[in-house]
Amino acid sequence: MIPEEVKKILKKQHYELVGKHSAVQICRWTKKSLRDEGVCYKEKFYGIKSHLCCQMTPAVMWCQNKCLHCWRAIELTLGNKLEGKIDSPKKIIDECIKAQKKLLQGFKIDEQSKKKQLSKANQKKYADAQEPMQFAISLSGEPTLYEDVGKLIEYLRKRGKTSFLVTNGLYPKKLKELVKKKQLPTQLYISVNSPNKKMFDKFHRSTEKNAWKKLNESLDIMSRITPQGCTPKISKENFTIGRTVFRMNLVKDLNMNFEHAKEYAKLIKKATPMFVEIKGFMSVGFARQRLGYERMPTHEEIKKFANELLKELNNLGIKMKILDEHYYSRAIVLGKDKKELKIEGI
């Protein structure tokens, strides 16, 4: 299903391919956590353990968009549909865990060996990491293009694992299905990197017909997914499950000018998410060929934009504040109550 040319590129970028259309890659924060050198923003914000996180995708080279900031080789995108027989959720998860173990082998210290050990990994964490407990369903491509993504989330839940699903929001029918079948992940993200249609078309270069309209439809669906512990909206269509995040990846001198804050605030009001995540663009992978290092905002610049956004949200009657920040990831999370930030039972 994946051409050999594409496989070579992915392997060069340290992806471990899983089955016909999935992949795993070890996040640098997983590596840092294993060495006791720090943790990622997901652990700091939500309590997710970095060394127990599996960063994966069930659709590694399939996406409707060709976003300017994407680290993928978007020129080699394989389309917006997985053709032929797809792998089962069980096969994907079981093989992802095997792939994760393989990629982490270099962190093991052989106590019986007389050779000098190069690894500085915490061996208790390494042992625990053999069974990842959190699955970040994002990495590369658009995961909702995998037909059985809901069953995959359901399978993870049955195995006692948490899941974060990051979607571009261009498949609202799939989001409706996840809600209807009660297959929502632990945390649902919709990436919104453009404040208006004109910028969306320029930034995302989508092949999807009526992409901006579909994104807005997904934001409307998000507004009806009520986080536990929050006051539900009065509606016969209200759904009462799930944590929701409006995610923004900001590029300097492109989609984070102060005049954009008012338009983003209106989109946030439409989505009524539990949290808003604001993250700075990182010039890595193939994104370096499209956007240079000078387009990476500093943490201070991200924070200034966050405060401008908070002013606009306040003008719309939405009372949010900065709940936490992660300097090294250039990430900030907004919400109403910090008590709701940590995920219970992990």
Side-chain angles (χ1 to χ4, degrees), residues 52-65:
L52 298 180
C53 183
C54 180
Q55 182 181 237
M56 57 78 67
T57 172
V60 65
M61 289 301 292
W62 287 264
C63 189
Q64 308 100 316
N65 294 342

Side-chain angles (χ1 to χ4, degrees), residues 4 8 22 52 61 71-72 225 241-242 284 312-313 327:
E4 287 302 317
K8 287 178 182 178
S22 306
L52 298 180
M61 289 301 292
W71 57 83
R72 271 187 318 119
I225 300 171
I241 184 172
V284 296
E312 296 296 343
L313 287 170
Y327 180 85

Side-chain angles (χ1 to χ4, degrees), residues 11-69:
K11 288 179 180 178
K12 190 175 181 180
Q13 290 189 306
H14 307 291
Y15 286 78
E16 188 71 20
L17 296 176
V18 172
K20 300 185 187 76
H21 46 78
S22 306
V24 171
Q25 188 186 52
I26 303 298
C27 171
R28 73 186 183 100
W29 287 107
T30 297
K31 298 174 184 178
K32 280 183 172 293
S33 179
L34 285 167
R35 301 189 195 104
D36 292 326
E37 295 174 350
V39 298
C40 87
Y41 72 92
K42 288 194 287 290
E43 178 163 340
K44 191 170 188 287
F45 293 177
Y46 309 115
I48 293 296
K49 301 301 180 187
S50 299
H51 70 290
L52 298 180
C53 183
C54 180
Q55 182 181 237
M56 57 78 67
T57 172
V60 65
M61 289 301 292
W62 287 264
C63 189
Q64 308 100 316
N65 294 342
K66 295 185 178 180
C67 304
L68 291 173
H69 73 305

Side-chain angles (χ1 to χ4, degrees), residues 114-133:
K114 295 181 180 180
K115 296 180 181 179
K116 184 178 179 180
Q117 300 291 341
L118 298 177
S119 176
K120 297 179 181 179
N122 177 322
Q123 293 302 289
K124 171 65 169 64
K125 281 187 174 181
Y126 172 79
D128 291 344
Q130 301 306 297
E131 184 64 34
M133 297 304 294

Side-chain angles (χ1 to χ4, degrees), residues 254-269:
L254 181 59
N255 66 342
M256 67 171 290
N257 298 333
F258 277 9
E259 60 263 31
H260 299 144
K262 183 178 288 187
E263 292 176 293
Y264 280 122
K266 289 178 181 178
L267 292 172
I268 292 168
K269 183 177 182 179

